[in-house]
Each structure stands twice: as structure tokens, then as C-alpha cells.
Amino acid sequence: MNQLSQWRPDMNDPLPLYQQIEAYIIAKIKSGEWTQGMKLPSQRVLAKQFGVNRSTIVAAMDRLVSAGMLEGNSGGGTRVAGDGEVDDLTLHDSEGIQPSSSPRKHWNDYVEEGMHYPNLPLVQTINRMEFAPHMIRLGTGELSPSLLPEQSMRHLFSEIASSLDTVPLSYEEPLGSLQLRRELCLELGRRGINASPSNVLVVSGALQAFQLISAGLLERQSTILLEKPSYLYSIHAFQSAGVRLAGVPMDAEGLQASALARLKQLRQAVLLYTNPTYHNPTGIVMSEARRTRLMQVCDQIGLPILEDGAYEELWLDHRPPAALKARDTSGQVLYVGTLSKIVSPGLRIGWIVGSERVIERLADIKMQTDYGSSSVSQLMAYHWLHSGYHQRHMEQLREQLRIRRDTMLELLQQDWHDIATWQKPTGGFYIWVTLTGGCSLNKLFDRALSAGILLNVGTLYDRGASRQLRLSYAYAPIEEMKFAMGKLAELIRMQG
Amino acid sequence: MNQLSQWRPDMNDPLPLYQQIEAYIIAKIKSGEWTQGMKLPSQRVLAKQFGVNRSTIVAAMDRLVSAGMLEGNSGGGTRVAGDGEVDDLTLHDSEGIQPSSSPRKHWNDYVEEGMHYPNLPLVQTINRMEFAPHMIRLGTGELSPSLLPEQSMRHLFSEIASSLDTVPLSYEEPLGSLQLRRELCLELGRRGINASPSNVLVVSGALQAFQLISAGLLERQSTILLEKPSYLYSIHAFQSAGVRLAGVPMDAEGLQASALARLKQLRQAVLLYTNPTYHNPTGIVMSEARRTRLMQVCDQIGLPILEDGAYEELWLDHRPPAALKARDTSGQVLYVGTLSKIVSPGLRIGWIVGSERVIERLADIKMQTDYGSSSVSQLMAYHWLHSGYHQRHMEQLREQLRIRRDTMLELLQQDWHDIATWQKPTGGFYIWVTLTGGCSLNKLFDRALSAGILLNVGTLYDRGASRQLRLSYAYAPIEEMKFAMGKLAELIRMQG
């Protein structure tokens, strides 16, 4: 099996590594190169030869075992079981009742099944470690608990208890609470986006919006274009629906609109996902000129746009250019917003804005998914927006985030000036830092973790971003941020 | 287009009515709210909604057709034609940007795409008509608004406002709020189900539980066995994930366990879904003996069980036999429960109980789907269960449901005794009625709808149940129930 050493999965291919490995093994078996009974090298050896984590090998093998192409044995080795074709002869043994081909008999046997990908192992580690006590979370894309409007929400509970409104305990309408949608339309109107309540679908956060769009509007095997890097690479919102991602290069003004026509044709892409304002993870704001150009190009080549406006309200120095949706006169843009980044992730309230037909289709899928979002959350969100809490909160929040951003920039200037480069973000949560030395991100992640610091490494957002970190100034307390930035600089220097 | 009803031309405006209407429609089209291809309501409907003569509508539309913004068709319908701008795509054909091979260029073109099935047309009609005013909903599987604990929930808001607990505004843990899971374990314990918080995943209602199970544990093209009839046939929770359903016949004691071994082999089924207690739609309670037998058979043939316990607490005469999950010693049963049928569908709180490995896998998918359920809903649910509201509410609710059930049984006895047969349910919401004559369900549905009565016909739950109706005594006010049952008997006799 020395030919193994010659092949490695392509890190730039949007297909997940374990699927590339799965496809490689299938090809070997189907072509007859690997024959029934042949023993495979150990998972450890394979991981090394393919240059991937062992969990990636496990993921690929589990799927091939399920497909009947590989089989494990009690000694831990794995052999080629067959080419996955059903052998018709066995089906007709003994009076038509054949033994089940499936060895799965217990719920536990199903854990490796299912169409939905598990989270990336690194993401699973991060998700788990986020709940570990005393961990300094230096990359977390959430507001620090101290920035959440706990007191105001308590006042809201009290106001709701004494108001004359009914407490909505039934299902809401398919599009969501009408009073909330009206309030959202006012809010969107202030940002130049014209919408009626029938153009708005209330969802349980932006992630669910992407799920509904991929399940409701896209075919399996569709390809969508998106910024490279993008936080969509770190989650499986689209990939689990069989949708492929193809990256569009960025510069300081945002994604390169000039690359779209070619990429659309090359990849037969069906839509463009973009996060033009305080981009996650780079913090870049798409310029006014680029927005105009992007709208023109997408209109010309017939490429619908999915705009992620999650960070839009988090401007720190000056308001950003108007959203793409504010420039949309033909229904070319589907816009997604959320309260998660600005008020409370726990409320699970987001929205999709689009043409009535599209919104109706998505509402139908939403009804089939969870029968609508929590009516209590919708009630809270309505009162929050309606009663002026939101405006006051945003002013205080911007003030606090400004202090945090400036602190982190000072720490970078002080401790990191000779080991990294970065740009000053004008809003959002993130500073995208490029390390100048030859430091291994995997090692840095592990060593930081041992020192009690949780990092979001660049490779989560772009497999090629092997020298980048997404730092967040939104989450960790300022004192912890100070300690962690110094400690990290030490660790980087040790490796460098 | 429900926002139409909110706008009317201003009778005091010096601008002629037809020009106001024209301007209104132009604004809708230019802003992208009404997009190309969208069908407008009929002239008659528009005239009524705008409060003008039909000739005024005709005048406005004629001008818009001339301007190229609307187009009529021979059938009399009118659609949005465009925004009146020149399409400059053609200008660039010769400049290296070729037209895409894909005919889809606009979000509206995607409405027919997507893997997720739309709801059945009949279900869509029912969903829509449920929000029509003055409709008597005689089949709706929800508590009547008058049965929802509105006052108690208002008290809860007040208690939460003044409590010392923090209001949880951050994301909850992947499995859901720990205090809620602890409370659920106590509640489950009272029903004989032993579970630790790590065996419980909080979800946004039972429907989401099924979505997570089909996405997370099953392969596409898997087949699951289930009761025939079953309410799962009326939704697409499993089918949209490519999972097939195969019906198991029922008798008065529940699904026929003796049929399982053969069906499992024949259909290569991977699990059994069952709703053993106050089954939806038949109301049947699986007997004690059948439960014992079912557990034995499934253990022998290696068939995991997905148990739907949504109606379990809604016993009216005496407690039902213990859940299958209470008999499970090996992790063979995955159990789903919900607050939707007993407290409030709007809260969107349900739970899955299973082995830790399975619960962890489902939690990972849940995190990728919507980052967890609303923290405010989880807080409300915790306090609701913890503070004794739940027990008091359930006693009152059973009392009210008993009255409603007995009323409906009396009405059946009085008006339907010669046209139908039925069994008295001992809990839950439903009476499964079989019509004895040769009445067409489709016609009956339409005629009832014209008379203001919304029906859930048997074919929603079993294609062969062409003489059955699922009546619900939970939703319609008693006076409406009386009127509707008499009216329906009339309609059935007319057809019979």
C-alpha cells in the first residue's frame, strides 16, 4: 500500500477532508486495486500518511463501514469488505425472509449515522471548553455576560407582567408575531431597508435562517460563493444540506466583485453569501464603491445575494455604508439579521427579509421544522424594541465595546508588535491577526488551552489561514484579556 | 399579501384614488417587496380591500400594464412584470460575461427548489385557514386559548422579575438549561422514567425532536415503522430527510406487535416510532399486555423504539399504563415529550430522553441547527414546573377537557348515531370517527369550509382512511362545537 503516501487530500478543496478520503478509498475498491479481505494500515498510520487528524480517518471509515465497503475486526484492524453492491443471491436464501443486512439494533449504533455532519472536532473541543470553568475565551464571538442587558430585561419582565397585553401562549402565525414584525420593519426602515411585515420571517437566530434557506431553496450539490475566509466554514449550516462552498478572495474593501462572474460559471454557483459589514472573522467593512459594484455585477450575472447583517449595528467609530438590501430594488437580496450579537443570544430571535414568495416558502419550512420560534422570546423582543430599551442599550454597548477594542489594540501594540500584524476594526467584535513567524497554530491552540486560554484559530475560517487568529474583544473580561494577550505573546515567541 | 388590508387610499387626498393606488403598487414593486411573477389578488378582492370601486382598480392597473410593470393573462389574473427599468443584462452579453447555463437568477426562482418538501396542499390550506377569523376548528390538535394558563404565566413573569435568579441571556449549554433538565428528571421520575440531566436534551417542541433524530441518527432512504394511521403522515418531519414510513396495523390494544418482525425484515426498517398513549389520531391507549409484548419483540429483533409521549399527562378517567421508556433497561427507547399539548405551544419546549451517547450526538446537531432553544422559554418552563403551577394547572385542565369530551360524545350520540361510529377516548384530544355512509371526504371538507368549519380528515393520517375524521374536543369553544357538530351531521346526511 505504498501508493498511499503519494496521495493526500486537497486542503483547498471545499469538500470536507473526510469525504475526500472516503472518495479516495471508494475509488480504490471499485477499481479493484483494493480487494476483499485486504487489511488497511492502522488509523494512526493513515492519519500520518494523509496528513490529517485521526478523527478525520475515523469519520471516513465509519461511513465506509456503514456502506458495507469496510469492516472492522475485534483486533481493531480494518479490512475491505466488498464493493458496496448488494449481492442479490443472498436476498433469496430461504423462503424470501433474508437476514437483515444492518448490524444496527440499538440507538447507540446510530450515533455515527445520519446525514448531518458532526461538528468539526476542533469546533466540538471549543464548544465543550467554552463551558469549562476559568477558561479565558479570547476568540468567542459573543457579548460578555457583563455586556448583556440583564437589568433592563428584568424590568421588561415586570412590565409584561403588569401590561394589559395578552401573554401569547399559542402558536404564533407562520411568519412570526405581527407586532414584532412591524417593529422590525421600523428598525429596518431606519437603516434604509424598506419592508412590510409580509416580507419578514421571524427565526430562531441567523443559523436557523441559513438552515431554512439551504433546506428550502437550494438543491443538494448546489454551490454557493462566499468570502474566503468566512465563519460559514467553521459551521455546517450549508454543508450538512449537501451544499458546497466556494471561496471568493477578499481585499481591504471586501470581497472581490470582479472575481464573481468567473467563479459563478466555473462552479455553477447558485448564490453569493456575504457578510459585508464588520465581516466575521476579518472585521473588514465592504466599501461604498464595492457595494455599488457588487450589486451591479450580481444583477448582471443573475446571482442572488444572501446578506448577513448580524454585526451591522455594532459600529464603533461611524455608521457603516448602507446594507446591500437597502440598495435592492428587484428582490435580489435576501437579508438576515439577529438580536444575538447585540442584545441576547439566549433569546434566539433573528429575521429574514425578502420578497413575499420567498418568505412564504421559508415560513412553510420553518413551520415544518419547529412550528415557529418561542412566543415568549418574540414578546420580549417586541417590547425590547418598542419601548426604547434597545436604543439606550446600543449606545451603552458601543461605548463599552470601544473601550474593549482600544484596550486590545493597545495590548497588541505593546506585546505583539514584533510578532504579528493587524488592522484596526471600526465595528463588530473581531481583530484578525496574522502571525509573522513560523508558528504552528495547532500547537499554539494546545499550549494556550493548557494555559487556560481558548483560541479561535484562522484555519477554522479558511483552511489556508494557517498563520491567523480571530481575536475577539467582546467576550473576555478586560483583566483576563490583559493576562491572556501577554501569555499568548510568550507562547508565540517560544515557538517562533 | 396580508399587508394590503392595512393600506387604503386617503379619501381626503387631492390625488385621484386610482393614482394613489398606482403609486402604492409602484412603491411595492420598486422596493422589491413585490417581485416579478408575483400574482396579484383579483380586481374584485383588491377593490374590497382598498375600499374603492372596481373601475378604480381597473384604471390603476391599465396604467401599470402600459408602463410594463404589470401583465395580465388570458385567465384574468395579473402578475408583476418588472420594475419598469431596462434590463441591461443583454448589453453585456458580448463583453465576456456569458449568460449562465442556469435559468435561476433571482430568489423567486428558488421557491420550487430545495430538498425540503412543501407541506401537503391540504395541510397548507388547514394551516392558512386556522388564522381565518370566525373559523370553527373542529380538528385542531391544540388546547383552546381559553385553556391556556394565561393568568399563571403573568404571575410567573412577575415572580421572575422580582426573583434573585439571573435572567439567562447568554446561550444555554448544548443540552439546555441544567435547572430545567433537573426539573424534567423529577417530573419523569414521577412517571416511572429514570433519567439524569445528562440523559435529557431540551428541544423546541416534539417536531424538532423528530427533525434532529432524522438528521442526526438516520441515513437517507432509511425506513421507519409506525402506527397506521399516524399523525406523522400529515407532516414531513421524516420524509423531508429522505426517510420512508411503513405502517404497522393497529387494533384496540395499539399497534400489532406480532407484525413487527416480518415488517422489519421486509422493509429493512431501522426503528419503530410509536405514540402508545392517547394515540394521535385514534385516541387508542396501548394496553399493558401489548406494551410488555412490544418491548420483548423489539428487544428480540433489535428494533429501537422512538416513543412519543406528548399526550401522556392528559389522562381523563384514570392514569394510563407506564410509558415504554419506564420499562426500558437497555437504552432501547428514545422518549420524546413536550409542553405544547399540556401548557403552551408558544413556549416551544420539548425534551428527548435517551442514552448519553445518543443525547450528545443530538445535542451537537441541535447546536448546529439553532444554537439551542430560547433561554427565556427554558426559564419560564423551569419556574412553571418547579413552583407547583404545573400540578394545579393539570388538575384544572383535566376537569375542563373531561367536560369537553363528554359534550362532544353527547353531541355524537344525539346527532351522529346513525351516520358514524366511534370509541370513547380516555384521555388526549381526539375522537376518531368512522362515517358509515358513502360520503366523499374531499367534498365534505370543502362544504364544511364554506360553512365556516375546518376539518381534519382521515386521509391526512392514512391514505386509506377515507371514511374517518379526527375530531378534537380540545380547541373549539363549546358553543361553536355544538353548532358545528349539528351542521356537519346535516352536510354528511345531504351527501350520504
Side-chain angles (χ1 to χ4, degrees):
Chain A
M1 298 203 34
N2 47 4
Q3 83 277 22
L4 274 176
S5 55
Q6 293 156 26
W7 181 86
R8 288 190 160 208
D10 179 356
M11 299 293 168
N12 296 318
D13 190 323
L15 198 66
L17 296 177
Y18 76 92
Q19 288 192 11
Q20 292 186 47
I21 293 169
E22 186 187 353
Y24 172 80
I25 296 178
I26 289 173
K28 289 287 176 194
I29 296 173
K30 292 273 184 193
S31 70
E33 284 180 56
W34 293 7
T35 51
Q36 202 173 333
M38 192 192 84
K39 194 169 187 304
L40 269 65
S42 73
Q43 293 171 348
R44 198 177 43 74
V45 168
L46 285 174
K48 202 172 164 198
Q49 286 185 317
F50 290 153
V52 298
N53 289 328
R54 194 166 150 191
S55 58
T56 307
I57 300 292
V58 172
M61 288 206 166
D62 279 347
R63 288 165 63 102
L64 289 163
V65 170
S66 299
M69 299 183 77
L70 296 181
E71 61 191 2
N73 66 27
S74 55
T78 306
R79 289 178 184 277
V80 175
D83 64 359
E85 307 291 333
V86 177
D87 182 350
D88 273 344
L89 286 178
T90 59
L91 293 183
H92 297 281
D93 283 344
S94 76
E95 299 185 4
I97 297 181
Q98 68 279 6
S100 165
S101 66
S102 163
R104 301 188 304 277
K105 296 177 162 187
H106 189 283
W107 278 113
N108 284 350
D109 304 326
Y110 291 71
V111 171
E112 308 293 339
E113 301 294 337
M115 288 150 285
H116 213 294
Y117 300 168
N119 259 313
L120 296 169
L122 184 55
V123 174
Q124 286 191 27
T125 302
I126 291 175
N127 285 348
R128 201 168 47 245
M129 295 316 293
E130 283 182 346
F131 289 94
H134 312 306
M135 189 59 68
I136 301 179
R137 295 160 60 175
L138 212 58
T140 296
E142 293 171 37
L143 290 177
S144 172
S146 68
L147 298 178
L148 298 176
E150 153 94 15
Q151 270 314 313
S152 306
M153 281 293 170
R154 197 180 288 284
H155 289 152
L156 258 191
F157 269 104
S158 182
E159 285 173 22
I160 290 168
S162 60
S163 76
L164 292 174
D165 280 10
T166 38
V167 177
L169 297 176
S170 296
Y171 293 111
E172 294 285 350
E173 296 180 46
L175 296 188
S177 147
L178 180 59
Q179 64 179 7
L180 174 56
R181 285 182 286 130
R182 284 198 178 124
E183 208 56 45
L184 288 171
C185 289
L186 292 175
E187 187 62 31
L188 290 162
R190 280 177 216 120
R191 293 190 248 157
I193 297 173
N194 282 319
S196 304
S198 56
N199 297 122
V200 177
L201 173 66
V202 176
V203 293
S204 302
L207 180 60
Q208 187 181 54
F210 303 145
Q211 292 277 354
L212 295 174
I213 290 162
S214 55
L217 302 180
L218 306 181
E219 291 178 303
R220 284 188 87 77
Q221 316 301 338
S222 298
T223 297
I224 68 177
L225 304 181
L226 78 172
E227 284 116 351
K228 182 182 165 87
S230 170
Y231 106 103
L232 278 194
Y233 281 108
S234 71
I235 59 174
H236 285 140
F238 287 96
Q239 294 97 313
S240 278
V243 172
R244 295 169 181 151
L245 307 181
V248 182
M250 296 182 76
D251 58 30
E253 291 190 69
L255 73 85
Q256 293 177 10
S258 55
L260 288 174
R262 192 182 52 83
L263 274 169
K264 176 178 190 270
Q265 287 219 306
L266 196 66
R267 305 298 302 262
Q268 294 290 304
V270 299
L271 73 90
L272 169 69
Y273 164 87
T274 177
N275 175 202
T277 310
Y278 315 127
H279 173 256
N280 180 358
T282 65
I284 289 173
V285 180
M286 191 184 291
S287 67
E288 185 67 49
R290 185 65 57 82
R291 287 173 198 238
T292 306
R293 179 76 189 121
L294 178 64
M295 292 298 289
Q296 282 169 349
V297 169
C298 286
D299 191 47
Q300 278 166 17
I301 65 177
L303 185 66
I305 298 171
L306 174 57
E307 179 178 24
D308 185 343
Y311 297 90
E312 219 172 88
E313 276 208 81
L314 291 164
W315 53 269
L316 298 180
D317 299 325
H318 45 76
R319 286 181 190 277
L324 300 173
K325 184 66 186 165
R327 301 153 201 266
D328 178 29
T329 54
S330 66
Q332 193 74 357
V333 181
L334 204 54
Y335 176 91
V336 172
T338 175
L339 289 184
S340 297
K341 300 297 179 185
I342 54 179
V343 182
S344 158
L347 279 182
R348 312 304 312 120
I349 293 292
W351 47 92
I352 310 178
V353 184
S355 73
E356 291 188 9
R357 274 187 74 201
V358 173
I359 291 298
E360 264 173 31
R361 164 76 172 148
L362 293 172
D364 184 44
I365 309 298
K366 165 87 173 149
M367 288 300 277
Q368 295 184 57
T369 303
D370 62 5
Y371 283 128
S373 297
S374 160
S375 61
V376 179
S377 277
Q378 294 188 62
L379 180 74
M380 300 287 290
Y382 160 70
H383 281 285
W384 176 261
L385 294 171
H386 184 70
S387 57
Y389 281 109
H390 187 59
Q391 301 307 327
R392 288 192 294 279
H393 164 71
M394 286 309 298
E395 282 164 28
Q396 291 165 8
L397 178 60
R398 287 191 195 104
E399 182 63 34
Q400 293 299 313
L401 283 175
R402 238 172 255 132
I403 294 170
R404 290 170 155 269
R405 175 197 59 178
D406 294 345
T407 303
M408 191 171 260
L409 287 170
E410 277 163 33
L411 293 168
L412 280 167
Q413 192 52 45
Q414 182 186 303
D415 297 334
W416 294 48
H417 62 93
D418 56 339
I419 52 174
T421 61
W422 60 88
Q423 296 293 319
K424 173 182 174 177
T426 58
F429 290 169
Y430 309 115
I431 305 179
W432 184 243
V433 164
T434 301
L435 304 179
T436 47
C439 169
S440 151
L441 275 191
N442 283 344
K443 277 189 198 152
L444 183 63
F445 177 85
D446 290 342
R447 284 177 189 168
L449 200 60
S450 303
I453 303 166
L454 193 58
L455 287 180
N456 287 46
V457 292
T459 44
L460 286 172
Y461 311 103
D462 173 3
R463 232 175 260 148
S466 59
R467 295 190 302 139
Q468 274 79 18
L469 292 174
R470 182 187 85 174
L471 298 179
S472 160
Y473 46 82
Y475 194 83
I478 287 185
E479 283 313 305
E480 294 187 0
M481 199 191 286
K482 287 180 180 169
F483 165 78
M485 290 295 288
K487 183 74 194 169
L488 270 181
E490 247 176 60
L491 293 176
I492 294 166
R493 284 206 178 79
M494 272 169 54
Q495 280 194 56
Chain B
M1 306 211 25
N2 45 4
Q3 85 280 17
L4 274 177
S5 54
Q6 293 156 28
W7 182 86
R8 289 190 160 207
D10 180 356
M11 298 296 169
N12 298 317
D13 192 320
L15 199 67
L17 295 178
Y18 77 92
Q19 286 188 21
Q20 291 185 48
I21 292 169
E22 184 187 354
Y24 172 80
I25 295 177
I26 289 173
K28 288 286 178 192
I29 295 172
K30 290 277 184 193
S31 71
E33 286 178 56
W34 291 10
T35 53
Q36 202 175 330
M38 195 192 84
K39 193 169 186 305
L40 269 64
S42 71
Q43 293 172 348
R44 195 177 44 75
V45 168
L46 285 174
K48 199 171 165 199
Q49 286 184 318
F50 290 153
V52 299
N53 290 330
R54 197 167 149 187
S55 58
T56 308
I57 300 292
V58 171
M61 288 203 166
D62 281 348
R63 289 164 63 100
L64 289 162
V65 169
S66 303
M69 300 182 77
L70 296 181
E71 60 190 4
N73 67 26
S74 55
T78 306
R79 290 179 183 275
V80 175
D83 62 0
E85 310 284 334
V86 178
D87 182 354
D88 60 4
L89 173 63
T90 54
L91 302 181
H92 294 272
D93 273 350
S94 55
E95 294 179 15
I97 300 179
Q98 294 166 336
S100 160
S101 67
S102 160
R104 299 191 304 279
K105 296 175 164 189
H106 189 283
W107 279 112
N108 282 354
D109 303 326
Y110 290 72
V111 171
E112 306 294 337
E113 303 291 337
M115 290 150 285
H116 213 294
Y117 300 170
N119 259 314
L120 296 169
L122 184 55
V123 174
Q124 286 191 26
T125 302
I126 291 174
N127 285 349
R128 200 167 48 243
M129 296 315 293
E130 284 182 345
F131 289 94
H134 313 306
M135 189 60 68
I136 301 178
R137 295 159 59 175
L138 211 58
T140 296
E142 294 170 39
L143 290 178
S144 171
S146 68
L147 298 178
L148 298 176
E150 154 94 15
Q151 269 315 312
S152 306
M153 281 292 170
R154 198 180 285 285
H155 289 153
L156 259 192
F157 270 103
S158 180
E159 284 173 24
I160 290 168
S162 60
S163 77
L164 292 174
D165 280 11
T166 38
V167 177
L169 296 177
S170 296
Y171 293 111
E172 295 284 351
E173 295 180 48
L175 296 187
S177 146
L178 179 60
Q179 63 179 7
L180 173 57
R181 285 182 287 131
R182 285 199 178 121
E183 208 55 46
L184 288 170
C185 289
L186 292 174
E187 187 61 33
L188 290 162
R190 279 177 217 121
R191 294 190 248 158
I193 297 173
N194 283 319
S196 306
S198 58
N199 298 123
V200 177
L201 173 66
V202 176
V203 293
S204 302
L207 180 60
Q208 187 182 53
F210 304 145
Q211 292 278 354
L212 295 174
I213 291 162
S214 54
L217 302 180
L218 306 181
E219 290 179 301
R220 285 189 85 79
Q221 316 302 339
S222 296
T223 297
I224 68 177
L225 304 180
L226 78 173
E227 284 116 352
K228 183 184 165 85
S230 171
Y231 105 103
L232 278 194
Y233 281 108
S234 70
I235 57 174
H236 286 140
F238 287 96
Q239 296 97 311
S240 279
V243 172
R244 296 166 180 154
L245 307 181
V248 182
M250 297 180 77
D251 58 29
E253 290 189 68
L255 73 85
Q256 294 178 10
S258 54
L260 288 174
R262 193 184 50 83
L263 275 169
K264 176 179 188 269
Q265 288 219 307
L266 197 65
R267 304 297 300 264
Q268 294 290 303
V270 299
L271 71 89
L272 170 69
Y273 164 88
T274 177
N275 174 204
T277 309
Y278 316 127
H279 173 255
N280 180 359
T282 67
I284 289 172
V285 180
M286 191 184 290
S287 68
E288 186 67 49
R290 185 65 56 82
R291 286 173 199 238
T292 307
R293 179 78 188 117
L294 179 63
M295 292 299 288
Q296 282 168 350
V297 168
C298 287
D299 192 45
Q300 277 164 19
I301 65 177
L303 185 66
I305 298 172
L306 174 58
E307 179 177 23
D308 184 344
Y311 297 90
E312 220 172 271
E313 276 208 81
L314 292 164
W315 54 268
L316 298 181
D317 300 325
H318 45 75
R319 286 181 190 277
L324 300 173
K325 184 66 188 166
R327 302 152 201 266
D328 178 29
T329 53
S330 66
Q332 193 73 358
V333 181
L334 203 54
Y335 176 91
V336 173
T338 175
L339 290 183
S340 298
K341 300 297 180 185
I342 54 179
V343 182
S344 157
L347 278 183
R348 311 304 310 121
I349 292 292
W351 48 91
I352 310 179
V353 184
S355 73
E356 290 188 13
R357 273 189 75 203
V358 173
I359 291 299
E360 263 173 33
R361 165 74 173 149
L362 293 173
D364 184 42
I365 309 297
K366 164 88 173 149
M367 287 300 277
Q368 294 185 56
T369 303
D370 61 7
Y371 282 127
S373 297
S374 158
S375 61
V376 179
S377 278
Q378 294 188 64
L379 180 74
M380 300 288 290
Y382 160 70
H383 280 284
W384 176 260
L385 294 170
H386 184 71
S387 58
Y389 282 109
H390 187 58
Q391 302 306 327
R392 289 193 294 279
H393 164 70
M394 286 309 299
E395 283 165 27
Q396 291 165 9
L397 178 61
R398 288 191 194 102
E399 182 63 35
Q400 293 299 314
L401 283 176
R402 240 173 252 132
I403 293 170
R404 289 170 155 271
R405 176 197 59 179
D406 294 345
T407 303
M408 193 172 258
L409 286 169
E410 277 164 33
L411 293 169
L412 280 168
Q413 193 52 45
Q414 183 186 303
D415 297 334
W416 294 49
H417 61 94
D418 55 339
I419 52 174
T421 61
W422 60 90
Q423 296 293 321
K424 174 182 174 177
T426 58
F429 290 169
Y430 309 114
I431 304 179
W432 184 242
V433 164
T434 301
L435 304 179
T436 48
C439 169
S440 151
L441 276 191
N442 283 344
K443 277 188 197 151
L444 183 63
F445 178 85
D446 290 341
R447 285 178 188 168
L449 201 61
S450 303
I453 303 166
L454 192 59
L455 287 179
N456 286 45
V457 293
T459 43
L460 286 172
Y461 311 103
D462 173 3
R463 227 174 267 146
S466 59
R467 295 190 303 140
Q468 275 78 17
L469 292 174
R470 183 187 85 174
L471 298 179
S472 160
Y473 47 82
Y475 195 83
I478 288 186
E479 284 313 305
E480 293 186 2
M481 200 191 284
K482 287 180 179 168
F483 164 80
M485 290 295 288
K487 183 74 197 171
L488 270 181
E490 245 177 62
L491 293 176
I492 294 166
R493 284 206 178 79
M494 271 170 52
Q495 279 193 56

